[in-house]
Amino acid sequence: SHNPFSARAVIFSLLIKNDKKSITKRHRDYLQQNTDEGVLRMLEILAKPISALAPRHRLALIELCIPSLKQLSHEQYVKFEKDFEFLVNADQRVEMFEWCMRKIVLSRLQNFFEKKAQFYTKEQTMQQLSHACHIIFSLICHFFSKSNTDAEKMFTEVLKQTQLGKL
């Protein structure tokens, strides 16, 4: 996606759960009342192709959106973050893929818009790096699993084996 409107539409399309009609309606109603007209138009165009996208391609698509999302104004970024959180929390459950998206998209944008610098040194312990490890392991588990349930089981086992769950 080459512009902030289509980048937001791609991200929102990935967050809208097409398997639950009531949740999808809640998502769409919210977006119709709270987001830009250009995003809504792109959402209508992109919704079907993105819902048909194989899970293994979704992370790459998210990464392609990051540079365009960094073109948002600060006000648009704040609004995007609010809309993103609504879509994730609409069903009152955060799925593994949503959690991964939150960590990838929002943390990258927060670092950019809020100028939070993160520095890692050789002396850092595994406990200090546990957040980064959780993100990496969750992405790997999601990438190599056929379903969210399989990814969650794999992630739980990785945490157990690496003892990251105790940190």
Side-chain angles (χ1 to χ4, degrees):
S1 106
H2 299 292
N3 68 60
F5 288 104
S6 59
R8 285 182 284 176
V10 167
I11 298 299
F12 293 161
S13 292
L14 288 168
L15 289 171
I16 293 176
K17 296 165 189 64
N18 291 314
D19 58 337
K20 299 178 184 172
K21 295 291 183 199
S22 63
I23 301 299
T24 302
K25 181 175 177 5
R26 191 175 316 150
H27 285 146
R28 293 197 188 282
D29 289 347
Y30 174 85
L31 290 174
Q32 285 178 343
Q33 292 178 9
N34 294 288
T35 198
D36 298 321
E37 185 63 35
V39 174
L40 290 173
R41 281 194 303 271
M42 289 304 298
L43 189 60
E44 291 301 317
I45 294 167
L46 298 172
K48 278 193 178 183
I50 288 177
S51 68
L53 190 65
R56 68 177 182 269
H57 298 298
R58 292 178 182 168
L59 292 176
L61 184 58
I62 293 166
E63 282 295 325
L64 291 173
C65 290
I66 299 295
S68 295
L69 292 171
K70 287 180 178 180
Q71 295 175 23
L72 294 170
S73 69
H74 191 271
E75 182 180 309
Q76 288 172 321
Y77 155 70
V78 170
K79 179 118 183 51
F80 170 78
E81 185 176 31
K82 179 183 172 204
D83 296 345
F84 185 101
E85 288 297 341
F86 177 87
L87 296 176
V88 167
N89 295 312
D91 63 353
Q92 300 174 346
R93 179 174 180 248
V94 178
E95 295 175 6
M96 180 70 80
F97 182 69
E98 294 169 327
W99 185 85
C100 291
M101 281 187 69
R102 180 185 281 150
K103 293 300 177 188
I104 294 167
V105 175
L106 294 186
S107 66
R108 300 263 303 274
L109 293 178
Q110 285 168 350
N111 289 338
F112 180 78
F113 283 101
E114 297 171 18
K115 308 296 185 222
K116 291 182 181 175
Q118 294 181 343
F119 300 99
Y120 297 105
T121 64
K122 292 180 184 179
E123 292 82 31
Q124 288 185 309
T125 66
M126 189 66 153
Q127 185 173 12
Q128 292 169 314
L129 296 174
S130 68
H131 178 69
C133 292
H134 277 85
I135 292 171
I136 292 167
F137 287 139
S138 68
L139 292 173
I140 292 169
C141 292
H142 200 27
F143 183 77
F144 287 105
S145 299
K146 295 183 190 259
S147 71
N148 285 341
T149 304
D150 290 344
E152 289 173 13
K153 287 178 186 175
M154 186 186 300
F155 184 70
T156 301
E157 184 62 26
V158 166
L159 292 180
K160 190 167 96 178
Q161 293 296 321
T162 60
Q163 299 182 353
L164 280 172
K166 296 179 182 177
L167 300 178

